Structures are given as C-alpha cells and as structure tokens.
Amino acid sequence: MQVPSPSVREAASMYGTAVAVFLVILVAALQGSAPAESPFPFHIPLDPEGTLELSWNISYAQETIYFQLLVRELKAGVLFGMSDRGELENADLVVLWTDRDGAYFGDAWSDQKGQVHLDSQQDYQLLRAQRTPEGLYLLFKRPFGTCDPNDYLIEDGTVHLVYGFLEEPLRSLESINTSGLHTGLQRVQLLKPSIPKPALPADTRTMEIRAPDVLIPGQQTTYWCYVTELPDGFPRHHIVMYEPIVTEGNEALVHHMEVFQCAAEFETIPHFSGPCDSKMKPQRLNFCRHVLAAWALGAKAFYYPEEAGLAFGGPGSSRFLRLEVHYHNPLVITGRRDSSGIRLYYTAALRRFDAGIMELGLAYTPVMAIPPQETAFVLTGYCTDKCTQLALPASGIHIFASQLHTHLTGRKVVTVLARDGRETEIVNRDNHYSPHFQVLRASVASALQGDVLITSCTYNTEDRRLATVGGFGILEEMCVNYVHYYPQTQLELCKSAVDPGFLHKYFRLVNRFNSEEVCTCPQASVPEQFASVPWNSFNREVLKALYGFAPISMHCNRSSAVRFQGEWNRQPLPEIVSRLEEPTPHCPASQAQSPAGPTVLNISGGKG
Amino acid sequence: MQVPSPSVREAASMYGTAVAVFLVILVAALQGSAPAESPFPFHIPLDPEGTLELSWNISYAQETIYFQLLVRELKAGVLFGMSDRGELENADLVVLWTDRDGAYFGDAWSDQKGQVHLDSQQDYQLLRAQRTPEGLYLLFKRPFGTCDPNDYLIEDGTVHLVYGFLEEPLRSLESINTSGLHTGLQRVQLLKPSIPKPALPADTRTMEIRAPDVLIPGQQTTYWCYVTELPDGFPRHHIVMYEPIVTEGNEALVHHMEVFQCAAEFETIPHFSGPCDSKMKPQRLNFCRHVLAAWALGAKAFYYPEEAGLAFGGPGSSRFLRLEVHYHNPLVITGRRDSSGIRLYYTAALRRFDAGIMELGLAYTPVMAIPPQETAFVLTGYCTDKCTQLALPASGIHIFASQLHTHLTGRKVVTVLARDGRETEIVNRDNHYSPHFQVLRASVASALQGDVLITSCTYNTEDRRLATVGGFGILEEMCVNYVHYYPQTQLELCKSAVDPGFLHKYFRLVNRFNSEEVCTCPQASVPEQFASVPWNSFNREVLKALYGFAPISMHCNRSSAVRFQGEWNRQPLPEIVSRLEEPTPHCPASQAQSPAGPTVLNISGGKG
C-alpha cells in the first residue's frame, strides 16, 4: 500500500549480495530434525493487515527455533520479538533497521520505558535475508533459552509475540522507543510437543462443520454461533483427528474455533447462525458445551492417540452441534465474508478406548478468593490420592491433551502430577497464560490410582478494588484444567476448595487482629465477608497461609454430578515432600566454541 | 616442601614466553585508579601454611578487581574463587591446571556436587603469569558482576574466598571434583569504599597496644585477652587513625583484633594476659566493652573523618584497656610466638566533633524469634522517625563506619535509611555475612531528624530443633548494627521489638488453628510458649506476617540506659512506600566490543 522509499529499496536490493558472506545452507542446518514436508511447518500472520507473516520450525535436538519472517512492505525497518504478556516494554526483540548508509539486523531488548537497546549478547542469529516479489524474507534462529537476563525464555505454553514498524531511517538503534511506533501482539504456542502422528484408519471419513458464508461484523470481537446437526440415524463413531479450515484471506481474523455437542436431554435445538451474544440466540444453545474439537491460531491438526477416539453420534448423545468462531478484527474491517470451520476425521471402526474429559482444579465456590491489588496471587486445587484411588482404573489413565481455563485475572496455570508425595511430571504448564488464548494443547502424562494432581493458578488483581471470589461470573474466578484422556472413566470432576470452617476461623482472626470489623454473623455471605476484610499485609499473608495449610473439601464427582462414596470434607492437604525443580535453561556455548559470526550484521550496500 | 614434578616445572618455565602474546601492561591498565604506593594495596594469606597469597586492587571506574595470586609451591595446579559461604560447591572459580602437554588457565565453576565445569563465559581474564624465586605469580582481573548465572556477584561486605590444590596432572578440567581436594576458605572484605584518607594532624602520636610475646595455643580457636593501661594522668585525646601490627610470619594466624576501654565505674582493673575463656580471667574484664579500635584480616588502617575523633583518656573515662586477639590456627601449629596488636594514632589537638557509637536493630528480647528449620528467615528492627526526631541534632549525624552483629545463625544483615517513607540509602549491607567475620567497615551516610533506620537480619536455623529466640546467649539471636558517627549524641540505642500484646494474640491464634495446645497461661514464659508451637507452614507464615504487621515497642535510649521521654509502646510500624531496588550488575560488554582474547588460554610449552 506504500511504495518503499528509494534509499530503503536500494538497501534492500543489496541483501542478496551482502548476505552471501554469512550464508548458512538452511536445508543442511535443519536436516534430521525438520519434518520432510516443509522446513517451516508452522505459520501465523502477525498483524491484522498481513504485512508480517511468521513461519517457524523447532529443533528439539538443538533447543533452537528457526524463524522465517516475511515482511511484505518494508518501510525503514521492523521489530519482532517476545514479551511476558505482549507489552512492547521489557521485550526481547530482533530489529531490522536502516540508517542513511545501510541496513542492520540485531538482537535487542526494550527496557521498562520502551527504550530499545542493542543486546550485549547476540542470540538471534541471522541466517539469510532474501528479497522476493512477495517481500523480504528474514531467516534467523534463536535458542529456547539464553543466559542473558534481558532475554525471553521460550517455554511450552503461550508466547506473546510482539511486532512494530519503523517508518523512518534511524540514526541509531538506541533512538527507538516502542511507544512511538505502530506495534501489536499475537499470541501463539511456539513450542509443540513432538508427538508422532498416528496413521488414520482406512475407513476415515470427514465432515466439515463450517460457518455458512458469515459476514464478519465490523467490530473488534465477535463470537459467532452456528448450529448444525448430524445426519438422522448417524451411528456412534470415533473422531480420530480434526483440522481447521480457514477461508483464504481471513487468516489474521479467525482467532479460534470450537465445535461443541449439545446436551442429550433436548430432543431438538433450534437452528441459528449469529453472534453468540445476540438477543436472538435461542436459550438452548447454552446447553451445547461438550467439546468435540478446539482450535486456535497457530495450531495445526489435532490427532487422537492411536488407541482412542472421541465418541459422537449414536443413541444417548445429541445430534446437534454448535460451532463457535471467534473473529478478532482490531482494524474493524467491514464487508469481509467467511466460511471457516473445522474438518472432523472420524471412523466407524471404533477404537479400543473412548476418550474422556476430566475437570481438575478448584471447585466453583467463593471460599477461594484473591485479595485485590495482588500481582501474583496463587490458588491451588487438588485431585487427591483418595479420589484417584477410588475412581481411576487399576491400569491408570493416559492424558494426551489439556486445556487450561481461568477468567480475566488468570496469568499462569500449571498442573503437576505427584506420586508418593513427590512431584513427578508436569501435565501442562503455561507461564504466560492468557484468558484470551485458551487452547487445547497436546500433552503426555499417565496418572495411576493414588496419584495426586495439583493445579495452581496465578492471578493478577491489580485493577480490582475488592476481593475476587471463586464462581461462575466473568468477574469471579476459576482455576480449571480440562484434561483429555483415555480410557474414559466415571470421574468427571476432581477438584477442591478450602474447608469452610477454617475460612470462618480466618474471618474471626481478622476481627481480632484489626480494628475494623468483619461481619462473621450467620447472615453474611462469604463474598460479603471477603468484601469487608481490610486488605493489610497481615490479612493477605494469613489468607495465603490458610490456603496453604487448612484442610480441604473434595469434589470427587461422577458424570452424573454425584460424589463418589466416601468422606470428602475436612480432608488433609496432600503432603508434597519433593518438588520438581524449574528447569534451568541451557546457556548457548561461548563464542569460542560457537560458530556464530559478528554480533551486529551490517548488510548495507557496497561492503558485502 | 615438595619439589614440583619435572613436567610442571617445565610448563611453568614457559609462562614467560607464552604470556608475551597476551601481555597487558599492568601499570597502564591501573593508572588513574590505583593509589601511587602499590599496584596491589590489599593482601591476605589464603591457606594457613602461606602457600597461597592474594593481593588485589580495585578499579571502581571499570568495576573490576585486579587479583595477583602468588603460588609459592605449585604442584599440578590450584583453584581459587568465591562462593556464597565458603563452600567448594556452587563456587565461582579460576583454575590453573596441567595435563601431560601443558598448563591452562580458565574461568570455571563447581556445581552442587563439587564437580568442576569450564564456564561458557570466561570472565576471569589472565593478564600475566610470571615465575619468580618466590613462586608463580598469576595476575588476572574480573568484573564485579558478570551476567553469567554461574558467576559470583562481588558486592560490598564479606566475600568468602575459596582455594584448592591439584596434586596430579589432569586429563581435563571436568575431571576435578572439589570434594577430593585439599581446600579451604578465607573471609575478606574485597571491595573497600574509596573514601579519601584525611591528613593526620602535625602533633599525631602513636601508642601500640600489643599482646606481650604470647605463645599461640595449639588449638584451632583462641581469643587472647590482654589488659593494659593508659599512663597516669593521660588527658583527653582523639584517636584519629589506627592500624594493625601483625608479627611477621603470623599473618595467616591473626584473624582479628579489637581494643576496648573498660567501664569508668571501676577504680582499677587487674592486669591479665591469657585466653579470654580462662577460669583465671578476672571478672571485671567483662566490663571492658567500649570499642576503641577493631581490625580484621584483610583490612588496612582505619581513618577517622577529618572533623571527628574518638575520645579516650581524661577524667570520666577508664585508664584501662583490653586487647582481644583472635588466633585462628586450623593446622594446630605449636610453639609459635606472637606480639600482634593495634597502633593507635592520636592527637591532643581535639577535633571539632567527638565520634559516637549507636546501636540499631532489634532489642534483646525473646519476643523476636526464628522458627526452626528455616533457611532464610528475616527479622527487622526499626529506629523510628519519632526517635530520631527527638534524639538527633537538627543538623543530623554523619555515619562513617558500621559493624554488623548477630549470633550463630546470622547469614545476611542490612541497614537501610528511609526518609519520608522512601528508602534512600544503604548504610551497610552484607549479603554473605558471617558471625565469624564481624568487621568494622567504612560506610558513608547521613541521618536527619525524622529519618527511619531499618536493620534486617536473615537467619538460617536448619540445624535447630526449637525456635531461636532473641537474647544475650550465644544460642539466642541478635540483630545489631553498631553505627559509628559524629557528632556524638545522647542516643545510644535505637531498637525495636514486636508488641508483646500482639505476640500473645499470635499464641492464642496458634491454639485455635492447631490441635496441639500452646500454653498461653500467665506462668509460661515467651521462650516456653515458642518452644511449644508446632511449626507447621501456617504457624510459620502467620509469625512472619505478624512481624511484618504488628505494632512495635521502641527502645529509644540515652547512654544512661534511660528512654527518651515519650510513648514508645504500641508504635505503628514505619510505612515504606518505595524500596531501594537491588542494583542490577553491569554485564560485561559483548565479545565484539571487548578487547578480551580467547577464552581458554593454553600456556603450554612449544606453542608460545
């Protein structure tokens, strides 16, 4: 949409020659670790206009990501990088910039004021820069972890990618402040567990659940709801794989999509195609919540494990399906039509096991609360040994995917498995969790009878004035991990909350240590009591200590919402004697051993 | 004592030529920052035999220390470095090692099992290696801070130097495990504030307070007590400087020395020269506790500021002085004689101000306690704005030195000054404090009326079974900073402790939340109550929260041990709205900008 200025055009045309010096044969570098079909199996548009497009590949052997950034319309430069939650401050950046003499590529970082600095340790390494009719391709790599405190650590879970555009040539990199630029963020799962894809059965069929020629509304956020149904008499099948179908040109707009099955209780569900918050939406659509498929931006096809499939169709299940498409349209583009959806791959030859979904974490109750103005308050929910002993099969269960869930203040979520008091594996961890990016992620773990599953959520309530209590409301909080596993069991829900008697003791303690009064009278509800706590350091710390000490009330429930038989109140907190250590990132080898070239690459004309 | 093996001798003789390549003219490098008299003003023997001797100099401009290590008898190599508390595990090391082919110098680190690894970032840089008749001199430098997580951060306060000897040539550096070596530690203050030395008055005289030909006992630890007296009718003088006198050859044995003045109440003090714990020691020596001079290993002369001196002599003060010498004799050398002591420089021309000493921190009371099995429990004592408002002169006081003090479980101590709720400066901080290295350190700070002085101590009680309460006993704890300042005021003690009423509430809370009973009956003493607390996570956390919240009882006392007038009970905790940030270490510049050579220096024969 804008013709590059001559000086930039000139500089860009030199890339081809200048870069020859630093050329690394990409194919050779990726051999062995790259899948055969494409050197960059993953891609995502970064900005809503599609000016920047990122593709990447992962070498687990080298603990390195290879990035290919396509810059369709280069002005004076671009910034690309990662930060904790998508902010342009404290970001780990690569910068392509130009001055009057040439163009440069460097590893940089922005401080808390957005001021950009060249990194003393150059961990992003340019491998190739190539000008094509499509735009400028930059190929570079970076290790997952560096030992530079200014660098972002690439981990499993959500990564907030950030980008920015430089409009004018610069005197120096240090003259950039991100606050003055056109910037943005894109959430993505950069690392994907390398799980082999099972072969599809010979009789595999497909079914497309697609939005029917939707006119994408001219507003930033739309959740589109569309109801469809399985053919009459459609028998029981197993879904074995699904993949996204995104209408060409709308790649930057379709943020996530889910297919839900409706509740079997309703004979029929009215057809509908419209925004999910529309007043026209039939009430019954609220009973379409059983997940059949979930996809989000940057994800590829999802494969069920060889031995298991997700049952749908047949007697005892609803014929009605709801497709939900989240359109993210920050530029408020109007008039765009879309028919995106999900393609289900299913088989009539039922696999050995039905897959199931289990809820771990905190029960939905106000007794679990987060004081206001906390930057990182942790609540923890348990699935105890007593419950898994009773409800899991003797051979245990295989967890193959997991979807984390909180409401608006959730910032991190992790589920850890503990056996005999020792944490043994991470079921799912997201240190940069966002409630706006709740994706189903492949994960591998096995839980046996007697194991404990511990789900912890970290919340930020800096913008809240009152305590945030647990509950269903969007301004209340949840801490849930929907675990996908097989073989399916009766256990649908394995969650906990603090014992209400101990919370009552807490409110009485608050009364005794503080001059203000908290009403502990029987007519006051728990949210009311929390609302009257004066949040000084003592009351905060003691609440934290209470949650880490008081006995719990367990919800160890069957699908029918009935508890398994047993005593589930005033249960002791599981005792954990050994924690999993945070993995220390591997530092890249020193310059003496590393093949890396100079830290700042001058790719300007005439010097190549 | 052992002739080096031929191969090592050979290798060592090559240093002179090989090093020529890397030669840096030391004098040039140090110009501007080094004092004229010597390029290495500080020295300390490392091992008790004196095989290793360290000299060093500091460039504050470069934030770098220049080390000169003299290895008197080189076998197959040496290790030298630093660690948190003097352990050889998790240590930051330089290693000089030999294999069959040559000798090498490298920056290394040891892991938690003592296994040595070459550092991926080489921050110790060899500048010169020189063989002399005395031994091998290694000259190398290191920045205070590197950004390598395996590196030690050199800060103000105590540094635990570690060393080890390699007896045999190695196949590789990685084959070293420090647990198999002859190793040791030496505590030292590496960084010294660069405070200009005031000129001494023209009439300065000296007085030597020295142990009279002591036969150093053949045991690891001896505190020697020696009583002497000022001449009859010795008038009031000001001490303006003092320096150590260490008997030649005993440099590694004399650990620290202090000169105390006795209490004026006693007409006479019996003369004595013997171990301080001797049954023969006269009781009255316990009343000789007013510090006149304090020196410890690695320290140089101590200068009073130009405007102030420490008064001694004259009416109203005792003529009797006690010298205490700590002999540290780990090899149990016998038959060694010593006459070490301290030389006082004093003037009859009294300076404008008398210097004074003030006690900050925690009052000596059992209400401040540390639960057992804590690795880093913090207790904090306050000198409140109300007390400084009342007791300090309008012009404020100048703090010029400070001596931190705890009993056996103290691990860190810091005093911070806060003005209007904002921390503004560190009076003294020691992140590697050791109760075995309580040195008087120069320090610069000014406190005004209304300022708050906050002293925090971090304790490790991993080896304790019961709570450690505050008190005078060696198994009880203290948290004190003896601050040296001028002009002298009436304020001798500005310390705090938690309000006893709130501690009583704590014991009652413990009763209500736990099945075990803590006796809160009137006849139970506070130490008894603490001894009956079951130390679960809740009781620990709530105690911590209590100390961070409950009002305090202030001790704002005159020299006469009488409180200043006012209400000192149930005072609010000072509110601190802004904390001083931990300084982030400056990372060394990247290899592109740095003049550093290769990371591993091969100084073997034939290749130089």
Side-chain angles (χ1 to χ4, degrees), chain B residues 24 27 81 144 424:
Chain B
V24 171
V27 178
F144 298 170
T424 59

Side-chain angles (χ1 to χ4, degrees), chain B residues 195-207:
Chain B
I195 296 166
K197 290 172 193 163
L200 295 181
D203 75 333
T204 302
R205 293 180 178 207
T206 66
M207 178 188 294

Side-chain angles (χ1 to χ4, degrees), chain A residues 29-83:
Chain A
L30 293 181
Q31 252 171 15
S33 56
E37 65 260 40
S38 156
F40 298 107
F42 311 107
H43 21 249
I44 194 169
L46 289 181
D47 62 317
E49 278 128 331
T51 313
L52 290 176
E53 202 170 299
L54 184 73
S55 306
W56 74 98
N57 196 357
I58 307 152
S59 164
Y60 280 95
Q62 298 169 29
E63 298 201 347
T64 293
I65 299 196
Y66 288 82
F67 291 102
Q68 181 185 268
L69 186 66
L70 168 59
V71 188
R72 287 194 196 276
E73 284 151 23
L74 182 67
K75 292 179 186 168
V78 289
L79 286 73
F80 164 77
M82 305 158 204
S83 70

Side-chain angles (χ1 to χ4, degrees), chain B residues 346-361:
Chain B
Y346 61 96
T347 173
L350 296 183
R351 289 181 165 182
R352 188 165 162 216
F353 297 115
D354 277 346
I357 298 175
M358 187 190 299
E359 265 184 54
L360 304 176

Side-chain angles (χ1 to χ4, degrees), chain A residues 357-596:
Chain A
I357 299 175
M358 188 190 298
E359 265 186 55
L360 303 176
L362 282 182
Y364 306 136
T365 148
V367 299
M368 300 304 296
I370 307 136
Q373 258 90 48
E374 292 280 345
T375 55
F377 197 89
V378 179
L379 292 182
T380 300
Y382 299 88
C383 176
T384 59
D385 52 345
K386 192 166 161 182
C387 180
T388 60
Q389 189 68 51
L390 208 62
L392 295 193
S395 56
I397 56 169
H398 301 280
I399 296 169
F400 59 86
S402 143
Q403 190 174 5
L404 309 173
H405 178 67
T406 72
H407 287 169
L408 301 176
T409 68
R411 293 294 179 269
K412 295 181 183 192
V413 185
V414 60
T415 296
V416 183
L417 187 142
R419 187 165 294 164
D420 301 324
R422 293 172 178 280
E423 293 184 356
T424 58
E425 51 184 326
I426 304 287
V427 175
N428 195 350
R429 166 158 55 192
D430 195 341
N431 283 335
H432 306 275
Y433 172 86
S434 165
H436 307 296
F437 193 65
Q438 305 188 16
V439 300
L440 180 66
R441 272 196 282 272
S443 127
V444 180
S446 291
L448 301 177
Q449 292 182 333
D451 285 354
V452 178
L453 289 149
I454 306 165
T455 302
S456 295
C457 295
T458 304
Y459 301 95
N460 180 309
T461 57
E462 279 178 296
D463 62 351
R464 301 280 170 101
R465 236 177 30 78
L466 294 175
T468 300
V469 296
F472 289 93
I474 188 66
L475 293 175
E476 298 172 329
E477 266 305 341
M478 292 191 172
C479 178
V480 181
N481 184 354
Y482 297 99
V483 156
H484 296 238
Y485 71 97
Y486 71 92
Q488 197 172 24
T489 71
Q490 282 289 307
L491 185 63
E492 175 142 318
L493 203 144
C494 190
K495 312 206 290 188
S496 73
V498 71
D499 173 76
F502 270 75
L503 184 66
H504 186 67
K505 287 189 194 195
Y506 169 77
F507 289 128
R508 279 173 46 202
L509 177 164
V510 165
N511 268 341
R512 264 187 303 267
F513 273 82
N514 298 271
S515 42
E516 283 122 303
E517 286 286 314
V518 180
C519 183
T520 55
C521 35
Q523 66 271 28
S525 69
V526 167
E528 282 166 353
Q529 286 173 303
F530 270 121
S532 64
V533 170
W535 289 112
N536 58 45
S537 70
F538 186 70
N539 295 339
R540 287 171 193 274
E541 292 301 320
V542 176
L543 183 65
K544 228 184 266 179
L546 180 88
Y547 287 149
F549 167 74
I552 52 178
S553 169
M554 268 305 298
H555 296 227
C556 179
N557 291 12
R558 296 174 194 271
S559 323
S560 49
V562 175
R563 285 191 185 190
F564 277 84
Q565 201 154 26
E567 177 53 53
W568 300 110
N569 293 324
R570 286 221 170 205
Q571 298 296 295
L573 272 191
E575 209 178 315
I576 303 302
V577 295
S578 121
R579 307 256 167 208
L580 277 179
E581 276 182 42
E582 284 280 325
T584 46
H586 290 215
C587 304
S590 81
Q591 61 279 16
Q593 296 153 277
S594 143

Side-chain angles (χ1 to χ4, degrees), chain A residues 20-39:
Chain A
V21 184
F22 309 97
L23 189 70
V24 172
I25 305 299
L26 175 68
V27 179
L30 293 181
Q31 252 171 15
S33 56
E37 65 260 40
S38 156

